[in-house]
Amino acid sequence: MTASAPEAGPAGPDSAPATDAPSGPAGAPATDARHRTESAPATDARHSTESAPGTGTPPGTNGSPRTHTPPGTENAPGTPTPPGTAGASPSPHRVPRLAVLLLITVVTALAALALGRYVVPPNEVLRLLVGQVLPLDRTWTPAEESVVLDVRLPRVLLSLLVGGGLALGGAALQGVFRNPLVSPDVIGVSSGASFGGVLGLLLGLGSAAVVGGAFAFGLVALVTVLLIGRLNSGSPILMIVLGGTVTGAFFTALVSFVKYLADPESQLPSIVFWLLGSLATATYAKALTAAVPVLVGATVVLALRWRLNVLSLGDEDATALGVPPRSTRVLLLTAVALMTAGAVAVAGLVGWVGLVVPHLARLWTGSDHRVQLPAAFLIGGAYLTVIDTLSRTVTAAEMPLGILTAVIGAPFFVFLLARSRNRMWSQ
């Protein structure tokens, strides 16, 4: 008995119990015993595992999890796939969050139409707006109609467009550069647009020239950054950041020179106030002027949001997945520049929106850009609407937007960093 018993060895999936191994002569090679054991259909542990019903282990996996993905199960819950790859769908619990954000944005806009130095009842605001489309009994006064339709509605529309465009641009840039501290100011478009605006104010060409000059020089700044990015065949992201820094510094110097040349009594105050950011001169024409570049740029960015997920994997992986990184990056930067130039042209420099709001959107929806980018657009519009409402109600004289966004945004950003630490970028 002891001479014919096989040697004890470590148990494994291919080893059979000793009682099932047929007896052989003493001194028979171990390979022969193993061969005879594996040739027995009833004693093959691997074979019995694969053929046992209900085990759920695909053939050939040897029981080890996630070593093989059968065809058609690429998006199985246990498969480690990067977020936002082609064929994946957003998590079901994230889609209703966009609906909640849309509802919050609409309620914020209606509250902004009702609040102010002249308070209009919210029910009258709703009836007044619906009455422009449907025949309703006139229960509102002419003063309420003038305040809501002529003064506040263009301002609310403009705040939604400007805030949404800046926030969406900041979220897209943070994804492109894979850096949570990036904002639209990095690519130098804001400085270029501000120079075009102050140049129009210095020359006294009117509001249309101010808007047109700001938009034109914003595009000039973008072209300059892209040309600088092509000077070196090294890292394109690094060259774009350096080009944006140089371009922004150059146009900032030009803005300072214009302020130096401006008349301190008549021109300089208007230039300084415009640079601080304000929606006090909002009209339907300005809202339409901002809507064209902001909505066009937002459409491009939202259409490419799944490619932004692929870009986050790196240029080599993006190329392997069929996404050209250089052309996609240039297209996204052009769309962001359109939105930024359109926002600065009608509202001046409004800081912190493109830096703070993307973090809020990331905390709310996660790092999947397919959901994060629409959320950033909605949160940015609601955020700037709240800031603008505070600017015209807190003090007797209207406070510039740039002051409030910095005073509120800076401490709030520190609070977000302290509360979430690495979680909001590593999700």
Side-chain angles (χ1 to χ4, degrees):
M1 292 295 291
T2 58
S4 61
E7 295 180 51
D14 294 333
S15 62
T19 56
D20 292 339
S23 304
T31 55
D32 293 337
R34 185 169 62 251
H35 176 74
R36 288 192 300 272
T37 304
E38 291 179 352
S39 63
T43 59
D44 191 354
R46 182 172 55 203
H47 177 78
S48 60
T49 302
E50 293 173 357
S51 60
T55 57
T57 305
T61 58
N62 293 338
S64 57
R66 294 193 297 274
T67 56
H68 174 71
T69 303
T73 61
E74 289 81 359
N75 292 328
T79 306
T81 55
T85 52
S89 58
S91 301
H93 71 280
R94 292 182 181 176
V95 177
R97 294 186 178 185
L98 292 180
V100 173
L101 287 177
L102 179 60
L103 180 61
I104 293 175
T105 304
V106 172
V107 171
T108 303
L110 293 176
L113 293 175
L115 298 176
R117 300 226 167 249
Y118 185 82
V119 180
V120 180
N123 61 324
E124 293 297 333
V125 171
L126 287 175
R127 289 182 58 85
L128 198 155
L129 294 177
V130 176
Q132 306 303 311
V133 181
L134 301 177
L136 294 179
D137 294 335
R138 187 183 182 93
T139 58
W140 57 87
T141 64
E144 292 174 342
E145 181 177 8
S146 177
V147 167
V148 172
L149 296 182
D150 298 334
V151 178
R152 294 179 184 171
L153 184 58
R155 192 161 181 158
V156 169
L157 292 176
L158 203 56
S159 65
L160 292 174
L161 289 170
V162 171
L166 292 176
L168 180 60
L173 289 180
Q174 290 178 10
V176 168
F177 296 114
R178 286 176 283 175
N179 189 334
L181 299 179
V182 172
S183 66
D185 299 334
V186 170
I187 57 176
V189 177
S190 298
S191 300
S194 63
F195 170 70
V198 299
L199 186 62
L201 292 174
L202 176 68
L203 300 177
L205 300 180
S207 59
V210 171
V211 173
F215 187 75
F217 277 95
L219 296 182
V220 169
L222 171 66
V223 173
T224 305
V225 171
L226 294 180
L227 290 178
I228 294 176
R230 292 179 177 271
L231 293 179
N232 196 329
S233 58
S235 174
I237 294 180
L238 177 61
M239 291 304 297
I240 289 174
V241 171
L242 293 177
T245 303
V246 172
T247 304
F250 176 75
F251 280 110
T252 300
L254 292 181
V255 169
S256 300
F257 182 67
V258 170
K259 291 164 66 176
Y260 172 77
L261 296 177
D263 184 270
E265 299 294 335
S266 59
Q267 296 175 325
L268 188 57
S270 60
I271 290 176
V272 172
F273 187 80
W274 186 84
L275 287 174
L276 290 175
S278 176
L279 300 177
T281 59
T283 60
Y284 287 109
K286 284 191 174 183
L288 182 61
T289 301
V292 174
V294 169
L295 294 181
V296 169
T299 302
V300 173
V301 172
L302 293 178
L304 297 176
R305 63 190 186 275
W306 69 271
R307 293 194 177 193
L308 198 54
N309 278 339
V310 178
L311 283 181
S312 65
L313 301 176
D315 288 1
E316 293 183 0
D317 292 335
T319 303
L321 291 173
V323 176
R326 182 178 292 272
S327 58
T328 303
R329 194 177 290 117
V330 170
L331 189 57
L332 286 170
L333 290 177
T334 304
V336 171
L338 280 176
M339 293 187 292
T340 305
V344 174
V346 297
L349 288 177
V350 181
W352 289 93
V353 177
L355 180 62
V356 175
V357 174
H359 289 274
L360 290 175
R362 195 173 297 116
L363 284 174
W364 183 259
T365 63
S367 296
D368 188 354
H369 291 97
R370 295 170 301 164
V371 187
Q372 180 200 346
L373 294 184
F377 187 85
L378 294 174
I379 296 175
Y383 175 76
L384 194 60
T385 302
V386 172
I387 295 294
D388 182 59
T389 304
L390 292 175
S391 71
R392 58 185 172 83
T393 56
V394 171
T395 59
E398 183 168 327
M399 188 177 298
L401 289 178
I403 296 177
L404 278 180
T405 54
V407 169
I408 297 176
F412 189 65
F413 184 66
V414 174
F415 168 75
L416 287 178
L417 292 179
R419 180 178 179 272
S420 56
R421 298 187 182 180
N422 295 327
R423 179 170 59 89
M424 56 184 175
W425 188 250
S426 61
Q427 282 181 337

